[in-house]
Amino acid sequence: TAGVGSALGNVVWVVLAGWWLALGHIASALALAITIIGIPFAWANLKMLPVALLPLGKQIVDQP
């Protein structure tokens, strides 16, 4: 719903930097998931994947 400019910006972002960030989030989530204490942090890290891949046009809101 953000428009064509946002979609084009997301394509450029994924090609230049988004996939590196996504791989970093996946790698750190795997490393964190090794320990029981790290599992919630790994889950939070995986929740950041959509924002790392396609950040333009997203809204981050607090959920109660």
Side-chain angles (χ1 to χ4, degrees):
T1 62
V4 176
S6 176
L8 291 175
N10 277 330
V11 169
V12 172
W13 176 259
V14 167
V15 171
L16 295 179
W19 67 280
W20 280 105
L21 285 173
L23 285 177
H25 279 294
I26 291 169
S28 61
L30 289 174
L32 286 166
I34 292 172
T35 65
I36 292 175
I37 295 172
I39 291 174
F41 297 111
W43 183 247
N45 219 344
L46 290 175
K47 286 183 183 180
M48 292 298 292
L49 277 175
V51 179
L53 274 176
L54 305 169
L56 301 176
K58 300 271 186 192
Q59 283 186 336
I60 300 175
V61 295
D62 221 6
Q63 292 187 1

